[in-house]
Amino acid sequence: MNYNSQEFQDELTRIITNALREDVGDGDHSSLSCIPSTATGKARLLVKDNGVIAGLAFAKAVFQQVDPDLQVEFLMKDGDTVKYGDEAFYVSGSSQSILKAERLVLNAMQRMSAIATKTRKFVDVLKGTNTKILDTRKTTPGIRALEKWAVDIGGGVNHRFGLYDMIMLKDNHIDFAGGVVEAIEKTKQYLKDTQKDLKIIVEARSLEEIEKILSVDGVYRILIDNFNYENTKKAVALIGDKCLTESSGGITLDTAKNYADCGVDFISSGSLTHSVYNMDLSLKAMHE
């Protein structure tokens, strides 16, 4: 995904519109009841944790969509390392608008920062190897774009964005198709018939299955799923430079380096997006 593309900007607009619909409904009555519409103010984003900040550009998009007159002054950029007590930005303008945007900005930035922080830990563990960390489709429904963006900010690499932009033949596809060779051949014919240019990734459950995959041309990457270190090394040697390799299946920060040392090109981890603790951030009014 090109994060500067119009396609991505349109997706952000959809996410923000839906989130505001969910949160604001027919109005922020807490603010409408006690804060004059003409009141202006200033607030700061306070970091109350250590890690990697992510979601600053998204926060700006939220503020602009809520109220184009809001002014944001950034003190850091996405991907910066932060510590407790740091200030990330100031936002000033209509007090009602700031409060309307507050929860969406915080919810998104807390989660994005947690994902970026965890991703950076994997990136640091894999330093010195040729292996890159990939995310998965195990994301929160409706905000995948934000979570994938956070992985990118943290230094990771995005896997496919959905079912539409890459073909991934997993165990169920293979079993339903009658075998791995059959699944690949049917897929290649489908791509030819539909004139689609999509990369093919195939999951392998054994060294024997890898040999079958290698007997067919056209596979971009083999997913070496739930292999131990010894068999992963054997798989990498067997595949050679015929296609790219990816290890997956419960790989943690503690085991990632060992899999990288087996020579795989990628490691994928669903935990980047499905098992994180939100970074503690708060938006605090400033009294001038």
Side-chain angles (χ1 to χ4, degrees):
M1 174 68 75
N2 177 359
Y3 293 105
N4 296 313
S5 68
Q6 188 59 50
E7 177 191 9
F8 184 69
Q9 296 308 312
D10 291 343
E11 180 65 13
L12 290 190
T13 299
R14 284 190 287 269
I15 289 172
I16 295 167
T17 300
N18 192 48
L20 291 173
R21 175 202 59 76
E22 177 183 66
D23 196 35
V24 179
D26 70 347
D28 172 12
H29 301 300
S30 304
S31 299
L32 291 169
S33 64
C34 65
I35 298 173
S37 60
T38 55
T40 59
K42 187 174 185 179
R44 59 178 178 153
L45 187 88
L46 184 63
V47 178
K48 300 165 76 176
D49 213 337
N50 300 323
V52 175
I53 197 81
L56 294 168
F58 179 71
K60 184 176 182 181
V62 173
F63 287 129
Q64 286 182 334
Q65 191 161 325
V66 167
D67 182 349
D69 291 330
L70 288 176
Q71 299 295 314
V72 188
E73 178 189 351
F74 290 103
L75 306 176
M76 53 186 58
K77 63 184 186 300
D78 281 322
D80 281 354
T81 300
V82 293
K83 63 184 185 305
Y84 188 101
D86 283 347
E87 294 178 340
F89 64 72
Y90 302 132
V91 57
S92 55
S94 163
S95 299
Q96 286 188 2
S97 296
I98 292 171
L99 289 168
K100 187 186 291 187
E102 175 187 12
R103 181 44 54 194
L104 173 53
V105 166
L106 286 174
N107 285 352
M109 285 196 65
Q110 285 175 323
R111 184 153 187 85
M112 289 180 72
S113 296
I115 291 168
T117 299
K118 188 162 191 176
T119 303
R120 182 70 55 80
K121 288 178 180 176
F122 270 95
V123 170
D124 289 344
V125 162
L126 296 176
K127 271 182 184 164
T129 74
N130 294 316
T131 307
K132 293 182 171 60
I133 185 70
L134 290 172
D135 53 22
T136 69
R137 283 170 50 240
K138 295 174 183 176
T139 55
T140 308
I143 60 164
R144 178 173 293 168
L146 300 188
E147 296 187 343
K148 293 267 190 181
W149 193 8
V151 169
D152 181 76
I153 289 168
V157 177
N158 295 140
H159 210 301
R160 56 181 178 161
F161 256 73
L163 295 171
Y164 57 87
D165 61 336
M166 190 177 282
I167 286 182
M168 190 164 172
L169 303 177
K170 302 192 77 173
D171 51 358
N172 284 335
H173 299 100
I174 291 164
D175 290 341
F176 280 136
V180 69
V181 172
E182 290 83 353
I184 297 168
E185 292 293 6
K186 288 174 182 176
T187 297
K188 287 163 65 177
Q189 187 61 48
Y190 169 82
L191 291 176
K192 185 178 179 182
D193 292 344
T194 58
Q195 296 185 315
K196 291 188 179 296
D197 182 19
L198 298 174
K199 293 182 172 71
I200 301 171
I201 298 177
V202 184
E203 179 182 286
R205 292 166 286 188
S206 65
L207 291 168
E208 291 74 27
E209 208 161 46
I210 288 176
E211 289 177 345
K212 290 178 182 177
I213 296 167
L214 293 174
S215 72
V216 188
D217 291 332
V219 174
Y220 172 69
R221 189 158 80 223
I222 294 177
L223 176 56
I224 306 166
D225 191 47
N226 284 302
F227 279 45
N228 59 29
Y229 304 138
E230 183 184 351
N231 284 337
T232 300
K233 286 177 185 173
K234 289 179 181 177
V236 169
L238 189 61
I239 295 164
D241 58 2
K242 298 182 184 75
C243 62
L244 295 173
T245 54
E246 171 188 342
S247 278
S248 73
I251 298 173
T252 66
L253 277 168
D254 292 331
T255 61
K257 178 67 161 57
N258 293 333
Y259 278 98
D261 288 341
C262 294
V264 293
D265 298 297
F266 299 98
I267 288 170
S268 55
S269 175
S271 72
L272 293 182
T273 52
H274 72 52
S275 298
V276 293
Y277 294 96
N278 284 2
M279 180 183 283
D280 194 358
L281 305 169
S282 64
L283 194 67
K284 294 294 185 186
M286 298 173 68
H287 304 286
E288 299 192 45

